[in-house]
Amino acid sequence: MAFSTVLLDLDGTITNPYMGITNGVMYAYDHLGLEVPPRESLRSFIGPPLIVEFTRRGMPEEQAQEAVRLYREYYGETGLFENELIPGTVEFLTELKRRGKRVCLATSKPEKYARKIAEHFKIAPYFEFIGGTNMDGSRTKKAEVIEYVLKNCKVEDRQSVLMVGDREHDILGAKACKVSALGVLYGYGDRAELEDAGADWIVSTPAKITEKILGRE
C-alpha cells in the first residue's frame, strides 16, 4: 500500500552523525576520568537513548546520568554540527513533499538538537513536525516519541503510517505503536538486527524508501 504519513528517524537515516556522537561520548569518558574506548567501538551509541547505552556498558545510574550531561556539554556546542546528510536524502524528501506525503521527524535525539540540525542542513521545511526526546530524561523511549508525533499531527489512521529507521529501536517502537516499520541498511543497524526486531520491509537506499512509500514495490 501507499503510505500517507511517514515518520523518519534522524541519526543513521537522514544524517550520518558518526564523528559528532563518538566525539561526544569520548569527551564524556575522558572527563569522568575513565579509559576512553576506541572510536569504532562507540558505533552502538548511534540510535538508542544515550542513558541506555552508557548503563549497558556498566555505568551505575548516577554516573551514566553525568556521562549524558558531559556528552551534551560537548555535543550541544560542537558535535551537533560534526554531521553530514546521507546522500540522496534531499532528493527523496523532495519527492515525498511533491507527492503530498505528510513527513515528520521522530528521533531519540533531544528535540532541540533535532530542530537545530534540520535547520542547519536546510531540511526543516520538508517536515510537518519535528519530534524528539526531552532534555530532562522524559519521553526517551522510541515508542513514546512516535506517540508524541502522532498525537501532534492528529493522525487517526495508523495503517497509513510508516516509521523508517536504521536500528531495532525504531522498529520496536513502531510495532509498539501499531504502525508499519521499514528498516534501512545504510545506517548503523544490520539486516539481522532489523529482521529480529520485526521490520516489515528492509531497503538499501533512500530511493528505495520512496518506492516503498509510493507503493511501487
Side-chain angles (χ1 to χ4, degrees):
M1 67 174 294
F3 295 96
S4 58
T5 301
V6 183
L7 309 186
L8 297 170
D9 176 44
L10 180 61
D11 292 340
T13 302
I14 297 295
T15 63
N16 180 355
Y18 180 69
M19 290 304 295
I21 288 179
T22 54
N23 280 343
V25 173
M26 294 168 77
Y27 176 93
Y29 271 93
D30 182 54
H31 282 69
L32 285 171
L34 302 174
E35 181 179 353
V36 178
R39 185 184 301 277
E40 182 59 28
S41 72
L42 302 178
R43 292 172 65 90
S44 57
F45 275 92
I46 302 173
L50 291 168
I51 191 71
V52 171
E53 189 62 18
F54 279 124
T55 53
R56 188 185 73 79
R57 288 170 178 255
M59 286 191 185
E61 181 71 19
E62 187 174 336
Q63 187 180 47
Q65 293 285 0
E66 177 62 7
V68 171
R69 187 194 70 78
L70 287 166
Y71 168 92
R72 288 175 174 168
E73 183 175 274
Y74 176 89
Y75 191 83
E77 295 295 326
T78 305
L80 190 66
F81 304 115
E82 294 174 325
N83 201 347
E84 60 185 5
L85 281 180
I86 288 170
T89 293
V90 172
E91 289 80 1
F92 98 80
L93 287 175
T94 300
E95 180 66 6
L96 293 183
K97 188 84 168 178
R98 188 178 74 82
R99 294 298 188 109
K101 302 300 180 181
R102 303 180 72 189
V103 184
C104 303
L105 205 59
T107 174
S108 293
K109 187 180 290 300
E111 189 169 305
K112 63 178 290 186
Y113 292 162
R115 290 181 181 279
K116 285 184 178 180
I117 290 170
E119 290 166 2
H120 175 74
F121 287 111
K122 297 180 173 57
I123 57 174
Y126 291 103
F127 298 105
E128 179 177 324
F129 184 77
I130 294 176
T133 61
N134 289 323
M135 296 290 282
D136 64 5
S138 62
R139 200 170 67 230
T140 57
K141 295 180 180 178
K142 197 56 180 263
E144 294 173 331
V145 174
I146 293 172
E147 287 289 354
Y148 166 69
V149 173
L150 294 176
K151 180 179 179 180
N152 275 274
C153 293
K154 297 180 172 57
V155 174
E156 296 182 358
D157 179 14
R158 299 199 175 201
Q159 290 189 337
S160 69
V161 179
L162 180 67
M163 175 70 213
V164 180
D166 67 313
R167 299 298 308 275
E168 63 178 356
H169 307 84
D170 303 306
I171 310 303
L172 294 172
K175 294 301 178 181
C177 296
K178 310 297 185 193
V179 302
S180 296
L182 183 149
V184 300
L185 293 175
Y186 56 79
Y188 287 86
D190 57 25
R191 182 175 291 277
E193 176 182 331
L194 296 169
E195 288 180 344
D196 289 347
D200 296 298
W201 304 278
I202 299 175
V203 301
S204 57
T205 67
K208 290 292 185 181
I209 300 174
T210 307
E211 292 180 8
K212 176 57 64 179
I213 293 167
L214 298 178
R216 294 175 183 162
E217 290 190 345

